[in-house]
């Protein structure tokens, strides 16, 4: 009897310990990620003017300044991790970073692994071509897509431009043979490849396209926009507490003119804060 009682007591103790561990895990799953007093941000500093490295090699740009303002609102410090664009969403989806801020378009594919904040910018894709290319004279999306068919297109890996050109996601049908879409680690490298004859065109977001054209003589961007997109920040799927905190901060920063001032500083029009 005493032996049976001891066994029963041991079983109950184990049950209590397991229950406590499960409760602790549940609590950990509910953490925002800010418990260390730090907002850890994943980005890719190859997307001027939204994120790039300044003269001292530090991440800066529109998104980085918004993230700093949000961190200030939340009363935490900001830590930025620069990585390949292809890794940004995964780093947040896996919980290695708190927020993705990298000129991210809200897409169905990305929503499978992260949750997005309210959008803060309306974006679109455009074509970059050599200045004498006839595609620049076209005035409709249909005509541009017809000319893109069968052409080799340079894009930045993991971007909406890649999905639009290749049709590798449910969000876009694709405009050329997927095997003719050439991915690069940055839009700048894609433009260099175009100038060297390795690709026919580059497809990238309109605002970074303007910066790339400015930096590369002999290139121009189409005035016809190919897509209608929305930029937002991303958090780990299910992290509603952090999502709500960032959304509340965004609302305040939109209302008090902070975000408008940031876009004005970089001379980028934003129809959401005009």
């Amino acid at each position: 009897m005493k032996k049976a009682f001891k066994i029963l007591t041991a079983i109950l103790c184990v049950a209590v310990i397991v229950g406590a561990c499960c409760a602790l895990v549940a609590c950990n799953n509910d953490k925002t990620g800010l418990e260390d007093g730090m907002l850890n941000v994943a980005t890719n500093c190859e997307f001027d003017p939204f994120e790039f490295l300044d003269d001292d090699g530090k991440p800066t740009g529109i998104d980085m300044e918004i993230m700093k303002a949000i961190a200030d609102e939340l009363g935490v410090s900001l830590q930025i991790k620069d990585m390949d664009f292809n890794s940004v969403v995964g780093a947040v989806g896996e919980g290695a970073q708190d927020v993705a801020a990298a000129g991210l378009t809200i897409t169905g594919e990305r929503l499978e692994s992260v949750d997005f904040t309210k959008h803060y910018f309306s974006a679109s894709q455009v074509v970059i071509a050599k200045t004498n290319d006839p595609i620049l004279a076209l005035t409709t999306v249909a005509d541009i897509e017809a000319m893109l068919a069968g052409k080799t297109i340079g894009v930045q890996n993991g971007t909406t431009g890649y999905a639009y050109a290749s049709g590798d996601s449910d969000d876009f049908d694709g405009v050329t043979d997927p095997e003719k879409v050439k991915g690069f680690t940055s839009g700048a490298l894609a433009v260099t490849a175009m100038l060297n004859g390795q690709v026919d065109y580059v497809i990238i977001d309109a605002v970074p396209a303007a910066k790339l054209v400015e930096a590369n003589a002999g290139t121009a961007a189409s005035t016809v926009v190919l897509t209608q997109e929305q930029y937002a920040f991303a958090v780990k799927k299910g992290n509603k507490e952090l999502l709500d905190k960032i959304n509340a901060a965004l609302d305040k920063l939109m209302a008090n003119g902070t975000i408008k001032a940031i876009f004005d500083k970089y001379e980028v029009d934003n129809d959401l804060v005009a």
Side-chain angles (χ1 to χ4, degrees), residues 10-52:
I11 291 172
L12 289 173
C13 288
V14 171
V16 170
I17 292 171
V18 171
C21 290
C22 289
L24 181 59
V25 170
C27 289
N28 286 338
N29 286 341
D30 290 339
K31 287 184 177 180
T32 64
L34 304 179
E35 288 76 13
D36 59 354
M38 190 79 67
L39 182 64
N40 293 285
V41 175
T43 193
N44 170 252
C45 294
E46 297 281 359
F47 206 60
D48 188 5
F50 287 91
E51 32 271 325
F52 59 96

Side-chain angles (χ1 to χ4, degrees), residues 95-243:
Q97 299 291 313
D98 301 321
V99 185
L104 283 176
T105 294
I106 301 170
T107 67
E109 183 178 7
R110 290 170 180 164
L111 281 167
E112 293 176 5
S113 58
V114 295
D115 290 330
F116 280 99
T117 65
K118 297 176 179 180
H119 69 283
Y120 63 94
F121 185 71
S122 299
S124 57
Q125 301 296 307
V126 296
V127 173
I128 297 178
K130 294 178 182 177
T131 50
N132 61 348
D133 197 289
I135 201 169
L136 297 171
L138 301 179
T139 58
T140 69
V141 173
D143 286 344
I144 289 176
E145 289 184 341
M147 185 169 284
L148 291 173
K151 299 297 193 299
T152 303
I153 300 173
V155 295
Q156 184 176 4
N157 289 324
T159 62
T160 308
Y162 188 98
Y164 173 82
S166 64
D168 75 337
S169 79
D170 293 336
D171 297 286
F172 302 101
D173 295 330
V175 294
T176 192
D177 183 341
E179 293 185 359
K180 289 183 174 292
V181 180
K182 305 300 181 183
F184 298 86
T185 55
S186 70
L189 289 176
V191 171
T192 298
M194 183 188 74
L195 290 172
N196 291 338
Q198 296 170 267
V199 299
D200 298 311
Y201 301 108
V202 172
I203 293 179
I204 197 167
D205 301 54
V207 176
K211 288 287 187 179
L212 289 169
V213 165
E214 182 181 329
N216 290 274
T219 66
S222 170
T223 57
V224 178
V225 298
L226 304 173
T227 63
Q228 298 294 331
E229 305 170 29
Q230 296 177 332
Y231 285 173
F233 305 118
V235 302
K236 184 177 181 180
K237 198 159 191 68
N239 193 347
K240 186 176 185 304
E241 186 173 350
L242 180 57
L243 187 71

